[in-house]
Amino acid sequence: MKPDTSTGHRGLELEEPLLFELDSRDHSGVDLPEPDLSNNRLGGLERTAPIGLPGLSEPEVVRHFVRLSQKNYSIDGNLYPLGSCTMKHNPRINEKIARMSGFADAHPLQPESTVQGALEVLDTLGHWLRTITGMPAVALSPSAGAHGELCGLMAIRAAHTAKGDPRARVLVPESAHGTNPATATLCGYKVDPVPGNDRGRIDLDAVKAKLGGDVAAIMLTNPNTLGLFEDEVLEVAEAIHSIGGYFYCDGANLNAIVGRVRPGDLGVDAMHINLHKTFSTPHGGGGPGSGPVAFSEPLAPFAPLPQVVKDGDKLRLIEEKTGEAANSIGRLRSFHGQMGMFTRALAFMMSHGADGLRQIAEDAVLSANYLLSQLQDDLSVPYPAPCMHEVLFDDKFLEGTGVTTLDFAKAMIDEGYHPMTVYFPLVVHGAMLTEPTESESKASLDNLIATLKFLADKAKAGDTEHFTEAPRLAPRRRVNEAAAARNPVLRWTPPSPVADAAG
Ligand SMILES: *Cc1c(COP(=O)(O)O)cnc(C)c1O
């Protein structure tokens, strides 16, 4: 629907063309000396024609990117209920600390003696993560959750190989995040899916039935992707250990249990922690992630490099696979990891303290259960209460309305909300996974509840068009996501002058 204005803008919501559509090729934003075209510096490979970069002035460029940034929905603008992602408020103190020049301007190749403070951040963060997980070793360098999974499974593979028994199979619940089977496959394992039971937990009998001498590990998410605590986790750990396998825990949902449960006490051998979820950071738009991995005693010798160790009152890095790190799987990436993320996460931990971190888990779980209690009669809930930090709805309440989960999500956009995570986990029909986090006030939760009730009523009342036409009020209507993925337009071709003249 084109707005009825001469400019294409709607009030202060400004329409924004592509940068290439804005430009005029004969303009330039800067004064440069005329190039010396006779200077044959590239041995005849010099450009003979303009390369077609947009010609824009600085204010034009600034406006373009500011307008685009204003179209971005963010946690700083409104509640962001994406399940699984833990979109929580990012305290500004983290940003201030991460920008301190001693951290932000340090170079990874500086001599150790000049970066003792930065190394202390790594060491202290490692200490907090070991304490929180109750596990003896931690590797900081993995760059995100999925990278942490890779790190953990590489260590598991190295541990089995060291015993002369590399093994072939990894058990993964059907409800797992897609990164779990992808990681196991990348490490050369065959993924053996394990079904869930009617309580939304992993089926313990199915786990036991699948065990065998060729099983290297199980990858279990706890709380799982349905927002439920795996209440037979101790039995799962015992079962996998009984055949000499390892217990990998996907720790992306640590926000629900931080300070309340130590994964090491549950028998976990390796677990990644998404610092950008539990310990906050502006993520989700391609912002930085960080996925440290905690290891149990048997896996600790295989942890990646580099590692920070105390040498008297100095800190030093182990960067070679020798001596105490002879069995390490080696490096996973350049340098030490996402330093800006380490300072943010440590600032978050230290400003909350141990009691504050525990309260985060409690409040996150309380928020999700508040949504559940207020909405269970309006939406439909596949598994009975209580939930952990995220609440899962399915599409039963939409049965016979002609409205799908996708339509419902798009209608939320018209109401000024980013939709929750939809159609994940795959094992629940029309899933709507909603994670309010601890950082929303009751008033904010009540607004979301009122909106979801309003939409549920509207769908049940037969106002189907309200949904199938949604979003009606956003700058763009519903895009064809399949076409965008199958026929991506990666190159902008300027319209030919003839077509231009024809309009
Ligand atoms: C977010 C998430 C991951 C992947 O983490 P990234 O940091 O995005 O790579 C894995 N598993 C679960 C359950 C998650 O929620």
Side-chain angles (χ1 to χ4, degrees):
M1 203 187 335
K2 268 217 164 331
D4 180 22
T5 57
S6 66
T7 53
H9 304 322
R10 299 157 183 252
L12 299 183
E13 165 102 56
L14 303 183
E15 190 51 31
E16 189 59 25
L18 296 176
L19 205 51
F20 287 89
E21 292 166 332
L22 281 173
D23 91 294
S24 41
R25 298 296 156 93
D26 47 354
H27 287 184
S28 170
V30 283
D31 285 332
L32 292 173
E34 278 301 314
D36 177 4
L37 293 177
S38 64
N39 178 355
N40 190 19
R41 282 179 309 154
L42 296 179
L45 291 174
E46 277 77 12
R47 237 186 277 125
T48 54
I51 56 170
L53 288 176
L56 296 163
S57 66
E58 183 170 316
E60 287 169 322
V61 172
V62 167
R63 282 187 184 156
H64 175 72
F65 286 106
V66 168
R67 286 175 181 182
L68 285 184
S69 75
Q70 288 169 339
K71 291 190 188 303
N72 201 19
Y73 191 97
S74 74
I75 189 67
D76 292 342
N78 200 6
L79 182 151
Y80 208 136
L82 271 184
S84 211
C85 298
T86 315
M87 305 300 280
K88 60 166 74 172
H89 172 65
N90 299 290
R92 294 306 185 266
I93 180 82
N94 301 356
E95 299 304 315
K96 183 163 177 161
I97 303 288
R99 282 165 175 72
M100 286 170 71
S101 65
F103 297 132
D105 298 339
H107 192 281
L109 293 177
Q110 263 175 255
E112 277 170 15
S113 63
T114 66
V115 287
Q116 287 290 306
L119 293 181
E120 188 152 348
V121 166
L122 304 186
D123 189 53
T124 310
L125 178 65
H127 168 76
W128 278 72
L129 292 176
R130 287 191 298 272
T131 306
I132 284 168
T133 55
M135 295 169 74
V138 71
L140 295 176
S141 67
S143 305
H147 201 202
E149 291 173 33
L150 181 69
C151 170
L153 278 214
M154 283 174 72
I156 286 171
R157 196 176 180 94
H160 283 303
T161 305
K163 293 183 218 158
D165 179 17
R167 304 197 173 193
R169 241 180 336 134
V170 169
L171 308 185
V172 181
E174 283 174 354
S175 62
H177 195 274
T179 49
N180 291 191
T183 296
T185 305
L186 202 63
C187 283
Y189 289 114
K190 186 173 167 348
V191 173
D192 195 350
V194 186
N197 60 26
D198 56 6
R199 296 185 307 108
R201 272 77 172 188
I202 193 167
D203 185 332
L204 182 60
D205 291 332
V207 172
K208 287 182 176 164
K210 282 177 183 288
L211 290 179
D214 65 329
V215 172
I218 189 166
M219 298 181 85
L220 189 67
T221 311
N222 199 19
N224 68 24
T225 61
L226 288 75
L228 302 169
F229 192 83
E230 289 288 355
D231 46 14
E232 291 179 302
V233 60
L234 293 174
E235 288 80 357
V236 170
E238 198 185 313
I240 191 75
H241 289 150
S242 73
I243 52 109
Y246 293 102
F247 178 4
Y248 186 89
C249 179
D250 180 330
N253 293 336
L254 182 65
N255 208 51
I257 58 172
V258 60
R260 289 297 304 252
V261 179
R262 298 190 310 169
D265 297 339
L266 305 180
V268 171
D269 291 301
M271 179 179 103
H272 73 261
I273 299 154
N274 306 59
L275 293 187
H276 48 291
K277 293 181 180 171
T278 305
F279 304 108
S280 86
T281 246
H283 69 284
S290 182
V293 178
F295 290 108
S296 64
E297 208 74 64
L299 289 184
F302 304 96
L305 301 172
Q307 298 161 11
V308 189
V309 285
K310 268 217 161 78
D311 237 355
D313 59 354
K314 290 258 182 314
L315 289 158
R316 95 185 142 78
L317 285 162
I318 305 176
E319 305 198 78
E320 303 293 333
K321 285 170 63 155
T322 52
E324 65 244 81
N327 289 319
S328 165
I329 57 170
R331 273 182 185 279
L332 289 162
R333 53 158 293 157
S334 60
F335 304 121
H336 316 299
Q338 312 276 51
M339 189 64 198
M341 293 296 305
F342 300 150
T343 44
R344 284 181 181 89
L346 188 59
F348 187 85
M349 290 170 173
M350 297 185 86
S351 54
H352 283 82
D355 58 334
L357 291 180
R358 189 178 317 119
Q359 194 181 340
I360 280 169
E362 290 167 356
D363 289 353
V365 172
L366 184 64
S367 294
N369 278 285
Y370 181 58
L371 292 187
L372 174 57
S373 72
Q374 298 302 300
L375 289 166
Q376 58 190 353
D377 297 332
D378 300 86
L379 279 64
S380 44
V381 182
Y383 299 104
C387 60
M388 294 295 287
H389 64 308
E390 49 196 355
V391 49
L392 180 62
F393 302 108
D394 62 14
D395 61 359
K396 269 221 175 64
F397 75 102
L398 294 173
E399 238 166 49
T401 62
V403 177
T404 65
T405 287
L406 184 70
D407 300 330
F408 193 84
K410 296 295 182 191
M412 286 176 71
I413 297 174
D414 282 335
E415 301 289 334
Y417 281 106
H418 193 289
M420 67 283 268
T421 293
V422 293
Y423 301 110
F424 175 82
L426 304 173
V427 292
V428 169
H429 201 271
M432 302 183 195
L433 187 63
T434 311
E435 182 178 1
T437 83
E438 72 282 2
S439 59
E440 295 302 324
S441 65
K442 179 168 178 297
S444 163
L445 297 179
D446 283 336
N447 286 339
L448 178 68
I449 289 163
T451 304
L452 295 179
K453 275 183 195 263
F454 167 80
L455 291 176
D457 284 350
K458 230 176 170 35
K460 290 176 198 169
D463 193 351
T464 314
E465 255 174 40
H466 186 84
F467 296 88
T468 51
E469 296 288 307
R472 294 163 300 122
L473 306 175
R476 290 290 177 274
R477 306 302 300 273
R478 198 179 301 195
V479 294
N480 184 335
E481 285 156 9
R486 286 182 193 146
N487 307 308
V489 180
L490 301 177
R491 183 187 290 273
W492 183 75
T493 327
S496 76
V498 179
D500 246 8

